Amino acid sequence: MEQTSCSDGFSLPTHVDKVSHTQTERATKARNLDYDQSRKEQEARLTDTQGDTKLPELETTFKKLLKP
């Protein structure tokens, strides 16, 4: 099947009537799952980074609270 590349990286078939709705759903679902997994991994890395930068601040605050 011939395909045309778009500027966003996706490809469109040149003969749209030959692509079934089921095929399109499968391809879209796979892309969405990949995107979702990437997004979750990126959020986890960001959360880890933020936690590392806040840890010394929290330790200092905790030490201050423990002083009589």
Side-chain angles (χ1 to χ4, degrees):
M1 180 185 308
E2 295 179 36
Q3 293 187 339
T4 302
S5 293
C6 295
S7 61
D8 62 1
F10 293 104
S11 57
L12 296 175
T14 55
H15 303 297
V16 177
D17 59 329
K18 293 187 178 185
V19 176
S20 75
H21 181 71
T22 304
Q23 288 172 321
T24 304
E25 280 184 332
R26 280 190 207 130
T28 302
K29 185 175 182 177
R31 258 188 242 124
N32 287 342
L33 290 173
D34 288 344
Y35 170 76
D36 195 43
Q37 183 63 33
S38 296
R39 180 187 57 79
K40 287 178 181 178
E41 290 171 359
Q42 184 178 8
E43 286 177 357
R45 283 192 299 272
L46 180 61
T47 301
D48 287 345
T49 302
Q50 289 174 343
D52 290 345
T53 58
K54 291 182 180 182
L55 184 60
E57 181 183 330
L58 290 172
E59 288 174 341
T60 303
T61 303
F62 186 68
K63 287 177 184 176
K64 288 179 182 177
L65 290 173
L66 289 178
K67 288 183 180 178

